[in-house]
Amino acid sequence: MGLRRGVLGGAALVAVALTAATAVAGGGPPGQASGGGGDTATPIRHLVVIFDENISFDHYFGTYPHAANRPGEPAFHAAPDTPTVNGLGDALLQHNPNSNNPQRLDRSQALTCDQDHSYTAEQQAFDHGLMDKFVESTGRESCPAPNYGAPGLVMDYYDGNTVTAMWNYAQRFALSDNSYSTVFGPTTPGHLNLVSGQTHGATASEPTPAVANGTVIATGGEAAKYEDCSSPTTPKIEMSGRNVGDLLTAEHVSWGWFSGGFGATSRTADGTAICGSEHANIAGQLQTDYYSGGWVDPFQYYQSTANPHHLTPASTAEIGHAGRANHQYDLSAFWRALDAGRMPAVSYLKPAVYQNGHAQSSDPLDEQHFLVDTINRIESNQDWKSTAIVIAYDDSDGWYDHQMSPIVNQSQDPANDALYNATCGSRPGKVAGGYQDRCGYGPRVPLLVISPYAKPNAVDHSVTDQSSILCFIEENWRLGRIGNASFDAKAGSLENLFSFRSPGGDGGAGKLFLDPETGQPASGHDATATATRK
């Protein structure tokens, strides 16, 4: 995009982006989001981040673009010139250095056991960069039926006959095969890094293993401080410093975090919200839509951006703007704003638990329903021509991925770090801000960009991480940086996933409507129709 100030791109590429933005806006300067949001540095005036759960790159894309295409499963056939990815070749499939070889999972095995994805266990699985201790370190082979378990399950992967929609989106739009969790560890660090590039600055109401040296490293035994929907006896964590919501609000850019199940289903006598909505996953298991503790809404950890009592916006016009909901909403509010032509400039969408892809509570097929229904609806909206959708993940779940991550920030906490014996990082120093327990990058995770301006049928090999999404927002809306050793200062750019030389709408990668059940093109649409265009 040419947005990195003095680092990436240059004046010529910026000029291309600005020219394209002018074309979309119908003349004049780069446009303003219909929901209110100021000028942008690219034609992207609406960014939608779909933040799903717990997938490594190899788990979904290890054999892309080659699917087994076995009878009775939705078929996937790649365009002839589809680029390859850094995935699972014959040597890794048949002679893997781990104690089990990867095995293909099919649609009947969509709901699996959850794997260990703690900060320390993931480092142990990496084993000095040899990537050969996943079975021993993060593997969980058994769990209650009907969840599928098997020896060496942590090594296994899906292909385009199960994650069919994801592979079809990669065909039509742009996929990264070199994107990483910002740090090692589970849900909460991943969510915090998405919005602030920072897991340090945490204060806990009582001692908890979720916080080490003032840094959040774990999920499960704690809750966001500003969160009604959690047990009153659970330790509460508050984050200091700034997040992207603070930056957006300061520049009067509309934004919101939209979570499935965020809406209160009832209240106690004192007005405390109860988040009790639930849905059944593919196996008929009821799942509460919103995680107790607020782990799936990182803004609930910050007083400035929290909506502790899960209050609803006063009106549709208020969605994305200052008001009693303080930019934190139920997912249904996003659809009200979209249908009213008021999509915020920046929207984070968090599926309900049964559709977020997290092993043991969700699965690729329920996740596919959410992704396809959501993307089909956004593509049908009037603002599609200036929209980019990013599909990203909070962590790897501990699933096997063969690619060692670049360690751009080290940590030397012998109580938690274990990549190189009792450290994470092979050389002394290089600890951003002096804050320990923020070692990263962590495991490789999928990242896709779906947009009229996404490069069609493209695979980007440049290094990015969760904070690269934060960095794009900062630069596109000219917000400045978070500061205080946020990873945004070193984040790789998403620019290679875009091409701003063609106007939106009829140019770029067009639209792709899929069937939510099969993940294949819906009637009258062809997944590879524009895949050969570069």
Side-chain angles (χ1 to χ4, degrees):
M1 291 177 301
L3 298 181
R4 302 297 302 276
R5 301 177 186 90
V7 178
L8 294 175
L13 192 53
V14 171
V16 169
L18 296 182
T19 300
T22 300
V24 172
Q32 189 173 43
S34 59
D39 292 340
T40 55
T42 78
I44 304 305
R45 293 179 280 152
H46 301 87
L47 181 71
V48 179
V49 180
I50 300 175
F51 207 48
D52 280 356
E53 300 254 334
N54 294 58
I55 303 296
S56 75
F57 183 87
D58 279 344
H59 191 55
Y60 269 14
F61 287 99
T63 64
Y64 179 83
H66 304 293
N69 290 324
R70 293 178 180 168
E73 298 179 338
F76 177 87
H77 299 285
D81 63 343
T82 298
T84 59
V85 299
N86 176 13
L88 299 174
D90 289 344
L92 289 171
L93 289 170
Q94 300 170 19
H95 306 286
N96 199 281
N98 284 268
S99 56
N100 290 72
N101 285 326
Q103 303 293 323
R104 177 184 182 269
L105 299 167
D106 63 29
R107 289 168 67 90
S108 71
Q109 300 159 328
L111 191 66
T112 70
C113 303
D114 188 22
Q115 306 301 301
D116 188 345
H117 45 291
S118 63
Y119 179 82
T120 303
E122 289 186 343
Q123 293 184 35
Q124 292 170 331
F126 276 35
D127 186 24
H128 296 72
L130 298 175
M131 312 302 283
D132 63 355
K133 296 296 182 185
F134 281 83
V135 176
E136 297 85 354
S137 301
T138 61
R140 291 173 177 164
E141 300 178 346
S142 62
C143 53
N147 300 66
Y148 174 76
L153 175 66
V154 70
M155 302 293 296
D156 296 346
Y157 65 92
Y158 297 101
D159 71 7
N161 305 134
T162 299
V163 288
T164 315
M166 295 288 280
W167 283 34
N168 276 317
Y169 287 134
Q171 283 274 282
R172 178 62 65 89
F173 302 105
L175 167 70
S176 169
D177 72 346
N178 208 13
S179 193
Y180 300 86
S181 294
T182 305
V183 300
F184 289 94
T187 290
T188 304
H191 284 73
L192 292 173
N193 279 313
L194 176 71
V195 305
S196 69
Q198 180 64 275
T199 51
H200 188 74
T203 302
S205 60
E206 60 186 86
T208 168
V211 176
N213 297 312
T215 300
V216 178
I217 63 168
T219 300
E222 83 299 331
K225 178 176 181 179
Y226 303 100
E227 175 59 67
D228 276 4
C229 294
S230 63
S231 168
T233 61
T234 299
K236 298 295 182 76
I237 296 174
E238 179 178 15
M239 293 299 295
S240 61
R242 301 190 298 174
N243 61 58
V244 70
D246 297 318
L247 303 185
L248 290 163
T249 298
E251 295 299 324
H252 308 289
V253 179
S254 60
W255 70 279
W257 182 280
F258 302 86
S259 295
F262 187 87
T265 53
S266 60
R267 295 186 181 275
T268 62
D270 65 357
T272 300
I274 298 173
C275 302
S277 67
E278 57 185 17
H279 286 84
N281 63 21
I282 196 171
Q285 301 168 324
L286 282 176
Q287 305 292 332
T288 302
D289 291 336
Y290 185 77
Y291 280 124
S292 174
W295 309 325
V296 296
D297 187 340
F299 295 106
Q300 296 286 80
Y301 289 84
Y302 296 85
Q303 184 175 19
S304 61
T305 53
N307 179 2
H309 307 307
H310 294 236
L311 303 177
T312 58
S315 66
T316 299
E318 187 182 286
I319 298 170
H321 302 276
R324 66 188 184 192
N326 200 24
H327 302 275
Q328 310 308 305
Y329 311 98
D330 187 79
L331 192 55
S332 60
F334 176 78
W335 300 118
R336 294 202 305 275
L338 186 81
D339 292 344
R342 294 178 173 273
M343 180 166 53
V346 177
S347 301
Y348 297 92
L349 307 189
K350 189 69 189 183
V353 167
Y354 80 109
Q355 289 187 316
N356 66 18
H358 194 303
Q360 203 151 319
S361 53
S362 183
D363 58 275
L365 301 181
D366 280 316
E367 179 191 17
Q368 178 170 276
H369 269 270
F370 177 83
L371 290 173
V372 170
D373 288 340
T374 297
I375 293 168
N376 283 353
R377 194 164 172 182
I378 294 173
E379 286 181 322
S380 300
N381 185 264
Q382 62 183 6
D383 288 320
W384 166 248
K385 64 183 180 294
S386 61
T387 296
I389 301 169
V390 175
I391 301 175
Y393 289 82
D394 66 336
D395 62 67
S396 72
D397 199 62
W399 293 111
Y400 171 64
D401 189 275
H402 77 278
Q403 179 60 50
M404 170 66 180
S405 58
I407 302 301
V408 302
N409 190 56
Q410 299 189 96
S411 177
Q412 295 92 32
D413 181 358
N416 297 303
D417 289 312
L419 177 61
Y420 299 95
N421 300 321
T423 68
C424 187
S426 59
R427 292 179 294 168
K430 296 199 172 183
V431 179
Y435 304 143
Q436 299 291 343
D437 299 286
R438 298 172 67 219
C439 189
Y441 299 137
R444 192 170 59 147
V445 290
L447 186 142
L448 296 94
V449 168
I450 298 169
S451 172
Y453 288 99
K455 290 181 179 177
N457 195 19
V459 175
D460 176 32
H461 307 300
S462 58
V463 176
T464 58
D465 74 294
Q466 291 158 336
S467 71
S468 295
I469 301 169
L470 166 64
C471 185
F472 177 85
I473 295 168
E474 291 170 339
E475 294 177 342
N476 195 49
W477 280 274
R478 302 180 177 94
L479 306 177
R481 297 285 188 231
I482 295 288
N484 193 30
S486 167
F487 275 87
D488 63 352
K490 62 182 66 179
S493 174
L494 301 181
E495 68 171 308
N496 289 328
L497 294 153
F498 290 97
S499 175
F500 294 122
R501 296 183 179 276
S502 299
D506 295 331
K511 300 178 181 180
L512 175 62
F513 295 94
L514 300 179
D515 183 305
E517 181 66 29
T518 67
Q520 296 172 313
S523 178
H525 295 275
D526 176 11
T528 61
T530 62
T532 58
R533 224 174 42 241
K534 298 296 183 185

